[in-house]
Amino acid sequence: MPVTIYPWHEALWHDLLRRRQALPHALLFRGRPGIGKFDFVRKFAQSVACLTPATSGAACGVCESCRWFEAGNHPDYRELQPAAARALEAEEGAQTERKPSQQITIDEVRQLQGFIYLTAHRSRGKTIVLYPAEALNFNAANALLKNLEEPPADVRFMLVSHRPSLLPATVLSRCQQVALPTPSAEAGARWLRERGIENAEILLAQCANAPLAALELNDEGYLNERNTMLTALSDQKPDALSLAEQAARWPVPRVLGWLQRWSFDLLYLKSAGAIRYNPDFKTALARIAERLHALDIAQFHRMLVREQRHAQHPLNARLYMESLLFAYLALLRGERPMPI
Ligand SMILES: [Zn+2]
């Protein structure tokens, strides 16, 4: 069976397969988190290396090269990911003593050099995938740049990125960019419903239409917890203390995500008259947005974005939730929220 691809990527998939004989030596695949970019690129790399591809160009799934791919040990293929992502994939994060790195380091790029300058085992050439490419730290990006500038003829790089703007311009300028699309809300919801997911529309809206991200949210508690949180936020005078007590039991990034999407919707209502993430709370959002100033909401939203980046493990979850919710109360009172 040739490999298959998510329906929202099919058109691009066929287009790229047609061009597989004449690929540039560096491609950058970009798109929203949770749409299946890494899966797409792995299958594309497998197809390029396949010895007996289907007429479409898709990997056959049975030749020696495909078997190597599926066993994760193709001699002409390497993936570079931050240690933290590898640990997560191998589900060994909890057992490692040192916190695994979130970055791709210069040592890891240097370790590739032997592979890059070695002769390929097969005539299809060698492929190196970097995911996510923005995890390259400054020195690692510089080291990679040398390879991108003078690559041996049989090496191709496939960078995968959620946010290419975080990559150095020097790296970007060496790559041909490929934008991976997000499906429409209808197509995404259909795909989720085919997998037996209830509340497909709401889950999808939470993830800016990224279906795989929505699939991950589909656990028992998620929607119940979210509804509890958003119902409390909809209140004229939310009870911050009791909500903080509950919220302290939920994962911090998740709560920050709800608040962030809530404030985004408030801002979006003010500026564009529309809602992106929480259409089921439209009435409450509209009532609140009407009373607030866009600048105050923007400041609250920026504070949440900052917190999402840094405050993953507060010492005291309950106090932390209280400070977040007090900042929200201040916003509702029309005060400019203070940094927490
Ligand atoms: Zn094959």
Side-chain angles (χ1 to χ4, degrees):
M1 267 281 283
V3 295
T4 52
I5 213 80
Y6 294 114
W8 51 91
H9 288 157
E10 267 170 14
L12 178 68
W13 173 249
H14 291 297
D15 181 46
L16 275 177
L17 284 179
R18 273 194 295 276
R19 293 166 43 199
R20 73 187 183 287
Q21 312 287 9
L23 292 174
H25 73 273
L27 286 164
L28 182 126
F29 296 84
R30 61 186 162 84
R32 217 165 264 180
I35 56 170
K37 294 190 294 299
F38 198 16
D39 183 71
F40 182 98
V41 171
R42 275 177 165 161
K43 286 177 177 162
F44 185 56
Q46 180 180 347
S47 300
V48 172
C50 177
L51 303 171
T52 53
T55 39
S56 68
C60 70
V62 292
C63 72
E64 183 182 44
S65 171
C66 283
R67 285 204 308 275
W68 275 334
F69 254 96
E70 269 149 37
N73 58 7
H74 199 296
D76 295 333
Y77 177 74
R78 290 285 186 284
E79 280 174 5
L80 222 53
Q81 281 184 273
R86 288 200 308 272
L88 206 66
E89 215 169 78
E91 289 182 5
E92 60 196 17
Q95 286 131 39
T96 47
E97 276 179 28
R98 251 189 47 217
K99 205 170 163 228
S101 172
Q102 302 279 349
Q103 299 184 331
I104 297 174
T105 64
I106 185 164
D107 284 342
E108 289 164 324
V109 173
R110 280 189 183 137
Q111 282 163 21
L112 277 180
Q113 301 309 309
F115 173 75
I116 289 175
Y117 292 103
L118 209 74
T119 310
H121 286 243
R122 287 282 179 183
S123 56
R124 301 279 195 272
K126 292 171 286 185
T127 303
I128 297 165
V129 170
L130 293 104
Y131 175 82
E134 57 269 31
L136 283 162
N137 66 25
F138 180 77
N139 292 331
N142 269 336
L144 180 73
L145 192 59
K146 294 203 174 62
N147 294 138
L148 292 176
E149 281 168 344
E150 292 164 22
D154 63 343
V155 177
R156 73 185 73 80
F157 291 89
M158 297 187 188
L159 284 67
V160 189
S161 174
H162 310 303
R163 294 182 63 192
S165 61
L166 296 178
L167 281 163
T170 44
V171 169
L172 283 179
S173 69
R174 301 279 163 186
C175 301
Q176 194 176 108
Q177 296 201 22
V178 178
L180 290 188
T182 303
S184 68
E186 295 75 25
R190 199 178 328 119
W191 186 83
L192 286 171
R193 277 197 301 271
E194 281 165 12
R195 268 140 205 88
I197 308 297
E198 294 170 29
N199 303 306
E201 283 81 3
I202 296 296
L203 285 172
L204 204 57
Q206 293 291 293
C207 310
N209 289 346
L212 305 181
L215 203 57
E216 256 176 48
L217 289 186
N218 184 47
D219 65 49
E220 272 299 291
Y222 180 84
L223 276 183
N224 285 338
E225 290 164 7
R226 166 190 174 267
N227 291 348
T228 304
M229 177 91 189
L230 299 200
T231 304
L233 295 181
S234 308
D235 209 287
Q236 302 279 5
K237 280 191 183 145
D239 182 349
L241 291 177
S242 94
L243 182 57
E245 193 180 337
Q246 271 185 301
R249 293 195 289 266
W250 303 328
V252 172
R254 195 171 264 197
V255 177
L256 280 168
W258 288 324
L259 283 167
Q260 230 174 301
R261 289 191 280 268
W262 186 257
S263 57
F264 180 94
D265 277 347
L266 289 172
L267 257 184
Y268 205 44
L269 266 172
K270 282 230 127 6
S271 59
I275 286 181
R276 178 178 291 174
Y277 296 109
N278 303 296
D280 48 338
F281 282 83
K282 188 175 191 336
T283 316
L285 283 164
R287 175 173 44 74
I288 297 168
E290 202 180 41
R291 299 189 348 241
L292 302 181
H293 292 291
L295 270 178
D296 296 344
I297 309 172
Q299 192 170 346
F300 180 68
H301 186 73
R302 272 200 302 277
M303 180 271 285
L304 293 168
V305 173
R306 262 198 319 273
E307 289 300 307
Q308 188 69 284
R309 260 183 228 144
H310 303 297
Q312 303 292 339
H313 302 287
L315 288 175
N316 184 325
R318 183 161 160 186
L319 281 181
Y320 181 69
M321 291 302 167
E322 282 178 12
S323 59
L324 284 178
L325 292 165
F326 284 141
Y328 178 67
L329 288 186
L331 173 72
L332 290 186
R333 285 196 302 269
E335 296 163 20
R336 184 117 338 153
M338 299 293 287
I340 69 164

